[in-house]
Amino acid sequence: MNSDESTKKKILFIARSFDGESLGIEYLSAMLRERGHKRDLLLWYEERNFRTRLINKIRNFKPDFICFSVVTNNYLWASRIARLAKEIKDIPIVFGGIHVTSCPEEVIQNKFVDYAVLGEGEETIIELVENKNKNNIRNVWSKKGKKIIKNSLRLLIQNLDLLPFPDRELYYKEAPYLKNICYFMTSRGCPFNCTYCFNSYLKKVYNGERWYRRRSVKNAIEELKIIKSKWKPNYFFILDDCFTADKEWISEFCKEYKKEINLPFNFLTAIVFLDKKILSMLKYAGCYGIEIGVQTPIESIRRDICKRYETNELIKKRIDEIKKSGISVGLDHIFCLPTEKISDYNEGLKFYIDTNPTEFVLHKLQYYPNTEMIDLGLKYGNLTEKNVEDIKKGKINSGVMEKDVIFSKEIDEINNFLKWIPFFPKWFNLWLLKNRLYTIIPRNKTFNKLTMIIPYFYSIQAMKYFIRGRLNRIIYRRYLLKSRMEEEIALKKV
């Protein structure tokens, strides 16, 4: 039922354009839409013209609330834009998201933040927008004078089928290029307790509740059919933390997906939830790529530091099976894990050469607030207490300690070598490793872009994905220029 006409509000979401579409924001917008509230989205493309665009949006839309979905990586940006919005007009500002849930004390202390929303926000945002008394809403921290009001958490949404489908129109009307490769989720939570991931922290926050939840196949396919009909995407990227965690569910999904959708898709998962039968079903349904988290070639570090218990033997076996099934495989690796030494890579690189995935997806360890990895970083000297406080403030590079800097040249060389391993023959890679000649592979950025392009020519599907991605970048550039024109028009009116 829609809210009464007199209580309808206007909610403005602000997000960074290069972060892509946010399913979190789209779910919140869908809830507000069901209640008859007006929503709008302002995308930030660059700093140089944003103030003028923000003034123009506030003047024309007249929002009652301005909302940000905040992760650690965008917290400093969101804080800067929220402060700017407050300077323009004193409109209530809402911060929600995983960083807020992890660091509510730090977030609510900001003068420009009126409400901090912890945990899931779908039910909370309705109460926050519609209730006159905003100091007694579960999941919300607010201010009353100098006092901070800390309300308790509400229970997790266990039946995800009850949620409305994400309001994709909010994003697609502002950035039509996003609809070509559509993000989609079928579950919330993760069955693992990886030390570097926010899921492990949230499981403790919601201790006793079922953290990993999944939509029914019928509900997921129903949304996919609507997306396919209305937006006509070329591909789906499934953002579940572990898509294949339920074999029976996957079996039913693959049959219905092939029958009703039949478009290419890729996803993230763990090798323990893959086998030949599942891979056969996924290939039949249209899967063209799988990204798996290995994180390190050193079993002891994977087990003791990451709390991932897959053996190298199993990883090698599964990657072979994935490739034989005709699906490309990306292998996630994290540099600078606690206790890691450069000498570890002598054997580690041999393992990676032997597994030979389609590509390596390479990361530098990012420390997230209140995760177990923070404690490990402190224990092994990778972090100081000051680093931990800085990370809570969104200073994501505070985990770069002196020993990481000492290793930086070697890490850069190994990082560069890993990019090229899938394209060189095994004997050549082993020869480069034995003689440390991988260090002379050019580290020129333009040259190394080849490693990002070549895998797209392994199949027709991948090639189409590449071409669509390039076209999207061209369209993105057009919208960036359009945002600059908005500034010029606004300045002329002034």
Side-chain angles (χ1 to χ4, degrees), residues 60-313:
N60 294 331
F61 184 59
K62 298 179 176 59
D64 297 295
F65 296 89
I66 297 178
C67 299
F68 294 83
S69 180
V70 183
V71 295
T72 304
N73 303 63
N74 75 2
Y75 178 58
L76 287 177
W77 167 85
S79 298
R80 189 174 71 253
I81 301 305
R83 190 179 294 110
L84 175 61
K86 274 291 185 187
E87 291 172 1
I88 295 169
K89 191 172 182 180
D90 188 14
I91 299 169
I93 288 179
V94 184
F95 269 30
I98 179 57
H99 189 80
V100 181
T101 305
S102 301
C103 309
E105 295 278 1
E106 286 76 14
V107 172
I108 198 63
Q109 295 292 340
N110 291 305
K111 292 181 179 179
F112 51 82
V113 175
D114 298 285
Y115 304 103
V117 176
L118 288 65
E120 294 178 325
E122 286 88 357
E123 295 171 336
T124 306
I125 197 168
I126 298 301
E127 292 187 27
L128 184 60
V129 166
E130 295 183 357
N131 291 8
K132 289 184 178 180
N133 179 10
K134 306 193 187 297
N135 294 323
N136 192 29
I137 300 173
R138 285 176 300 169
N139 282 23
V140 175
W141 285 24
S142 59
K143 301 168 184 173
K144 190 174 184 179
K146 293 184 178 181
K147 182 182 178 182
I148 295 176
I149 300 170
K150 305 174 182 180
N151 291 299
S152 61
L153 288 172
R154 66 180 70 230
L155 296 175
L156 291 169
I157 301 169
Q158 292 296 333
N159 187 353
L160 301 183
D161 286 5
L162 297 178
L163 292 171
F165 297 149
D167 179 15
R168 298 176 185 276
E169 188 169 0
L170 182 77
Y171 265 86
Y172 295 168
K173 67 182 177 65
E174 292 295 317
Y177 53 87
L178 292 173
K179 66 184 178 182
N180 296 317
I181 302 171
C182 184
Y183 292 160
F184 186 77
M185 288 190 77
T186 72
S187 67
R188 290 186 179 183
C190 180
F192 291 101
N193 291 294
C194 305
T195 56
Y196 48 82
C197 180
F198 69 88
N199 274 294
S200 60
Y201 169 69
L202 291 179
K203 281 184 179 181
K204 295 176 184 177
V205 172
Y206 288 100
N207 185 34
E209 293 191 58
R210 183 164 59 96
W211 175 240
Y212 181 70
R213 296 146 290 152
R214 190 152 221 171
R215 301 164 65 178
S216 67
V217 170
K218 180 180 178 182
N219 180 264
I221 294 296
E222 184 181 349
E223 185 191 353
L224 287 167
K225 286 167 68 176
I226 292 171
I227 296 171
K228 180 182 178 182
S229 173
K230 186 173 183 179
W231 303 110
K232 297 177 173 53
N234 299 98
Y235 303 90
F236 285 103
F237 191 98
I238 299 173
L239 293 174
D240 296 40
D241 290 313
C242 196
F243 180 59
T244 57
D246 184 335
K247 188 172 182 177
E248 185 177 335
W249 189 97
I250 285 293
S251 176
E252 183 184 352
F253 176 85
C254 286
K255 292 174 185 175
E256 292 301 314
Y257 186 93
K258 179 67 175 179
K259 176 183 174 184
E260 302 289 351
I261 311 301
N262 198 28
L263 285 173
F265 67 95
N266 60 0
F267 61 87
L268 315 168
T269 195
I271 59 165
V272 294
F273 293 120
L274 291 173
D275 58 33
K276 289 181 180 179
K277 185 175 180 180
I278 291 175
L279 289 169
S280 176
M281 291 187 293
L282 290 166
K283 180 64 177 177
Y284 165 78
C287 173
Y288 73 94
I290 300 174
E291 188 174 326
I292 58 172
V294 171
Q295 319 314 353
T296 174
I298 313 304
E299 284 189 351
S300 60
I301 296 178
R302 188 184 310 127
R303 179 186 64 246
D304 300 334
I305 299 299
C306 299
K307 284 192 175 178
R308 293 294 295 265
Y309 302 99
E310 302 93 328
T311 64
N312 282 359
E313 181 182 2

Side-chain angles (χ1 to χ4, degrees), residues 7-23:
T7 66
K8 288 182 181 178
K9 302 294 184 181
K10 295 180 179 180
I11 295 87
L12 175 64
F13 295 96
I14 302 179
R16 298 190 298 191
S17 60
F18 54 80
D19 287 335
E21 69 178 297
S22 165
L23 288 176

